[in-house]
């Protein structure tokens, strides 16, 4: 059976060039980058080279890049590290309702110690209004954290403007750019960003490695204590092979950004147009234009997302749902609820995320298969246009 | 994460549909996950001669719906009442822990349908 992968926001495959670059650092160039001998120096040189590539992708200085274990650690270091600088245990943080759990949970953690957090709501298309951020700022605000692009619905936030507001009030501004890398050009200077999280495996690097950009002069407390690697901000022996993979992936992302983004956008637009035309009672979630070039997010009335994912899998198509139902939690996605969708609407969602290798033919295959899959599930469902779900039937929204 | 049996029932659910002149209907929903199950039964001489379902829900919800119709069909009312949540899960070779409540939903739907049937019967007897 043919297999089509449309779940690139979950993870991507490692590019052959990335794999080739990493290989020697598992085998004969295995030195510890902190060691002084030639093995160590060899690793250190490669590490610094990779740092340059990552910096280059963001228009940053290599000294501003800290290697971490991935997006989650970068987010944790940014939020906790800035908020708790010098052991401070109080202050105010501004973030949004649609952040990744790594941000939301870090904020929840800080609340236990006395921090206060404001979650800015979003529009029905998932957009944050910078004016609302500005209004939320208080004298004791220590951090503003707003993601660059949403991992579920792909909506791109007005980062530059939010950064400008933060800068004018001298408040550190962090952005989780995990989904944006490789799809959007990023310039931390022009975008007024003080801290930025990224993860290698979202743009064809290996899993388990990421980076945090920390603008010179930004005060961050380490959250890992130990040998003082990464300028004291991230103790732990550096994952040299991983960092080399990240560097190579960053180099390739920079080189190929324009043509891949253009291709993905064309395929994305085809889906955004075709699905609501082909399937009655289907809708696009997220912003029509301010959205990641590789993200198409739909919802279908009267059916539930997990069934959709499984049925597509029977046809060889890997996609994901907007609902967390299949991943252990039964609650629908906090992002979709934040858009104002009902519990039921939030459940019937489908996320298609493209990668650089996807072809038009694969998109056509999805468009051919999807209507049948949706109608099959609708036949099983007790709800339909003539018999919609009434109030009190199904779940209630507990946010 | 789902057993082969769950996947098989999900892929080809048995007894999907409605019974227009059903003798009993059970409508249940789980307020936490939002899933909804409707179960229709037809009873003749105290035996469940036909049973159909419609479900809005996850893969496990659809599979457990299908399984309970298989388990209940041909049974007497008394036998059907004894089908437990565990029976549903066991017949599917188990369910992931977070999905155990889906088998509750199926067993509850059957029980509700029987309750509805018995209530209607009692009403008729009174009339
Ligand atoms: S997730 Fe609730 S019935 Fe399946």
């Amino acid at each position: 059976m043919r297999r089509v992968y449309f779940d690139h926001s979950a993870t991507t495959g490692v590019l052959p060039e990335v794999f080739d670059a990493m290989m020697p650092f598992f085998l004969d160039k295995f030195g510890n980058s902190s060691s002084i001998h030639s093995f160590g120096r060899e690793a250190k040189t490669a590490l610094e080279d990779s740092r340059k590539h990552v910096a280059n992708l963001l228009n940053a200085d290599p000294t501003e890049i800290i290697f971490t274990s991935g997006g989650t650690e970068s987010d944790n270091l940014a939020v906790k590290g800035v908020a708790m600088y010098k052991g401070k245990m109080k202050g105010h943080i501004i973030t949004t309702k649609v952040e990744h759990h790594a941000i939301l949970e870090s904020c929840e953690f800080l609340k236990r110690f006395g921090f206060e957090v404001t979650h800015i709501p979003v529009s029905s298309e998932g957009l944050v209004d910078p004016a609302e951020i500005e209004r939320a700022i208080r004298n004791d605000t220590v951090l503003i954290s707003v993601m660059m692009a949403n991992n579920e619905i792909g909506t791109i936030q007005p980062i530059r403007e939010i950064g400008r507001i933060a800068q004018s009030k001298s408040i550190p501004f962090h952005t989780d750019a995990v989904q944006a890398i490789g799809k959007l050009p990023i310039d931390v200077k022009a975008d007024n960003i003080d801290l930025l999280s990224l993860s290698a495996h979202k743009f064809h690097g290996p899993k388990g490695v990421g980076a945090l950009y920390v603008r010179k002069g930004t005060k961050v407390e380490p959250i890992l204590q130990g040998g003082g690697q990464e300028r004291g901000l991230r103790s732990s022996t550096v994952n040299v092979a991983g960092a080399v993979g990240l560097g190579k992936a960053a180099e390739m992302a920079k080189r190929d950004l324009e043509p891949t983004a253009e291709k993905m956008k064309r395929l994305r637009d085809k889906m955004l147009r075709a699905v609501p035309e082909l399937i009655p009672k289907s809708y696009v979630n997220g912003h029509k234009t301010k959205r990641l070039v590789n993200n198409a997010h739909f919802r279908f009335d009267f059916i539930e997302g997990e069934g959709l994912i499984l049925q597509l899998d029977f046809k060889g198509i890997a996609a994901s749902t907007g609902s967390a139902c299949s991943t252990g939690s039964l609650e629908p996605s906090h992002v979709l609820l934040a858009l104002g969708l009902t519990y039921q609407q939030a459940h019937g969602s489908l996320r298609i995320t493209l990668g650089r290798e996807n072809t038009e033919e694969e998109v056509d295959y999805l468009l051919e298969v999807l209507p049948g899959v949706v109608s099959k599930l609708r036949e099983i469902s007790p709800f339909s246009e003539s018999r919609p779900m009434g109030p009190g039937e199904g779940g209630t929204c507990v946010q | 994460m789902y057993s082969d049996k769950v996947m098989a029932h999900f892929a080809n659910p048995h007894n999907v549909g409605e019974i227009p002149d059903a003798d009993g209907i059970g409508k249940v929903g789980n307020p936490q996950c939002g899933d909804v199950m409707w179960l229709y039964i037809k009873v003749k001489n105290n035996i469940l001669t036909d049973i159909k379902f419609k479900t809005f829900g996850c893969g496990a919800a659809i599979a457990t719906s299908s399984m309970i119709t298989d388990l209940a069909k041909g049974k007497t009312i008394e036998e059907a009442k004894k089908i437990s949540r565990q029976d549903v899960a066991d017949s599917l070779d188990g369910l992931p822990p977070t999905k155990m409540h889906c088998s509750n939903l199926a067993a509850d739907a059957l029980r509700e349908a029987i309750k509805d049937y018995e209530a209607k019967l009692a009403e008729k007897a009174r009339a």
Side-chain angles (χ1 to χ4, degrees):
Chain A
M1 185 176 60
R2 70 188 290 176
R3 289 173 84 210
V4 181
Y5 188 78
F6 282 141
D7 199 11
H8 290 87
S9 281
T11 195
T12 57
V14 166
L15 285 172
E17 293 90 333
V18 171
F19 186 67
D20 288 346
M22 291 172 72
M23 196 123 86
F25 295 91
F26 289 111
L27 301 173
D28 40 64
K29 301 185 180 183
F30 56 81
N32 185 327
S33 56
S34 299
S35 300
I36 199 158
H37 46 61
S38 68
F39 287 83
R41 290 200 307 273
E42 197 171 36
K44 176 85 177 157
T45 308
L47 197 63
E48 295 315 315
D49 248 14
S50 302
R51 210 183 294 280
K52 270 184 219 148
H53 286 306
V54 177
N56 197 21
L57 181 65
L58 308 174
N59 190 27
D61 190 86
T63 58
E64 297 173 314
I65 304 298
I66 308 293
F67 288 117
T68 66
S69 65
T72 294
E73 190 191 325
S74 297
D75 282 347
N76 273 261
L77 176 55
V79 173
K80 294 177 189 167
V82 169
M84 303 206 299
Y85 183 66
K86 289 222 162 132
K88 243 186 347 210
M89 278 302 180
K90 60 177 198 292
H92 174 236
I93 297 167
I94 299 171
T95 185
T96 79
K97 287 196 166 174
V98 295
E99 297 299 308
H100 189 271
H101 285 292
I103 296 290
L104 297 177
E105 293 303 317
S106 293
C107 289
E108 285 307 304
F109 173 83
L110 290 174
K111 270 163 75 175
R112 301 216 299 261
F113 299 96
F115 286 91
E116 288 176 55
V117 182
T118 302
H119 292 94
I120 305 292
V122 295
S123 72
S124 59
E125 292 174 315
L127 260 188
V128 173
D129 178 359
E132 285 211 46
I133 304 252
E134 190 156 19
R135 275 198 293 277
I137 292 174
R138 313 191 322 206
N139 284 337
D140 61 342
T141 303
V142 292
L143 176 71
I144 298 173
S145 180
V146 177
M147 69 193 339
M148 192 168 283
N150 186 265
N151 50 314
E152 289 187 33
I153 54 171
T155 299
I156 298 168
Q157 303 299 353
I159 289 304
R160 186 168 296 191
E161 218 179 320
I162 297 168
R164 192 186 47 72
I165 292 166
Q167 206 169 54
S168 72
K169 308 270 183 187
S170 304
I171 300 166
F173 174 48
H174 166 253
T175 190
D176 173 345
V178 165
Q179 293 293 345
I181 303 275
K183 288 125 215 159
L184 279 180
I186 297 174
D187 181 333
V188 285
K189 293 201 178 84
D191 290 343
N192 312 309
I193 295 165
D194 297 309
L195 303 112
L196 177 147
S197 304
L198 61 87
S199 179
H201 76 106
K202 305 289 188 183
F203 57 104
H204 303 283
K207 291 171 186 62
V209 62
L212 180 67
Y213 157 77
V214 183
R215 183 192 287 269
K216 244 178 247 150
T218 308
K219 298 190 171 39
V220 183
E221 187 78 27
I223 55 174
L224 292 185
Q225 277 72 38
Q229 288 91 341
E230 296 296 289
R231 294 197 290 121
L233 277 180
R234 205 271 184 175
S235 287
S236 181
T237 300
V238 180
N239 171 5
V240 176
V244 166
L246 167 57
K248 191 72 193 172
E251 188 188 347
M252 309 270 304
K254 174 127 186 144
R255 191 192 72 190
D256 301 340
L257 186 95
E258 242 178 80
T260 42
E262 214 167 280
K263 176 187 154 189
M264 292 195 288
K265 185 169 181 289
R266 191 171 51 79
L267 297 182
R268 177 204 72 181
D269 287 343
K270 182 171 185 168
M271 288 191 285
L272 293 181
R273 259 194 321 270
V275 170
E277 263 171 31
L278 285 170
I279 302 173
K281 292 277 167 190
S282 64
Y283 313 88
V284 173
N285 289 326
H287 199 278
K288 294 204 172 48
T289 53
K290 290 176 187 149
R291 77 183 300 137
L292 287 176
V293 287
N294 73 326
N295 176 299
H297 200 284
F298 305 102
R299 68 173 198 275
F300 305 93
D301 281 354
F302 320 125
I303 60 169
E304 205 267 348
E306 189 193 283
L308 206 53
I309 303 308
L310 292 172
Q311 288 286 349
L312 285 174
D313 189 44
F314 293 154
K315 309 273 185 193
I317 298 174
S320 77
T321 154
S323 151
C325 198
S326 55
T327 51
S329 154
L330 303 171
E331 300 285 319
S333 132
H334 65 285
V335 174
L336 299 180
L337 294 181
L339 303 182
L341 297 186
T342 65
Y343 213 88
Q344 185 200 4
Q345 287 170 329
H347 263 308
S349 287
L350 173 70
R351 182 183 74 175
I352 302 289
T353 45
L354 298 163
R356 51 191 283 157
E357 311 291 352
N358 284 129
T359 62
E360 176 133 23
E361 201 220 327
E362 289 174 331
V363 167
D364 289 342
Y365 176 58
L366 172 81
L367 294 175
E368 185 190 311
V369 162
L370 192 58
V373 163
V374 171
S375 61
K376 179 166 179 171
L377 288 168
R378 281 182 176 166
E379 268 164 40
I380 302 175
S381 171
F383 305 114
S384 62
E385 213 166 333
S386 56
R387 206 311 182 181
M389 188 186 269
E393 287 177 309
T396 40
C397 167
V398 270
Q399 232 184 329
Chain B
M1 66 169 196
Y2 285 141
S3 71
D4 290 348
K5 264 235 179 105
V6 171
M7 289 306 273
H9 274 270
F10 168 74
N12 284 306
H14 310 164
N15 306 307
V16 176
E18 290 170 30
I19 303 177
D21 57 340
D23 296 319
I25 304 177
K27 294 184 177 183
V28 292
N30 180 321
Q32 213 204 340
C33 66
D35 290 1
V36 176
M37 222 176 257
W38 292 4
L39 206 82
Y40 302 79
I41 55 169
K42 198 87 192 135
V43 186
K44 216 175 188 175
N45 301 330
N46 202 38
I47 286 178
L48 291 170
T49 51
D50 198 9
I51 173 163
K52 284 200 161 38
F53 81 89
K54 285 252 173 163
T55 292
F56 167 89
C58 68
I62 292 172
T64 54
S65 309
S66 167
M67 182 45 92
I68 199 125
T69 61
D70 278 2
L71 291 176
K73 213 172 193 173
K75 295 241 162 60
T76 64
I77 292 289
E78 288 68 34
E79 285 167 340
K81 274 185 187 167
K82 284 199 200 112
I83 302 173
S84 70
R85 300 159 173 184
Q86 199 58 44
D87 292 334
V88 180
D90 289 349
S91 321
L92 287 166
D93 294 339
L95 284 169
T98 53
K99 297 288 183 172
M100 276 308 284
H101 74 278
C102 309
S103 66
N104 294 358
L105 212 54
D108 291 351
L110 177 62
R111 219 148 284 151
E112 283 299 311
I114 294 175
K115 234 207 271 166
D116 183 44
Y117 160 71
E118 288 178 335
K120 280 183 183 141
L121 215 59
E123 209 170 295
K124 250 189 237 154
R126 248 182 283 127

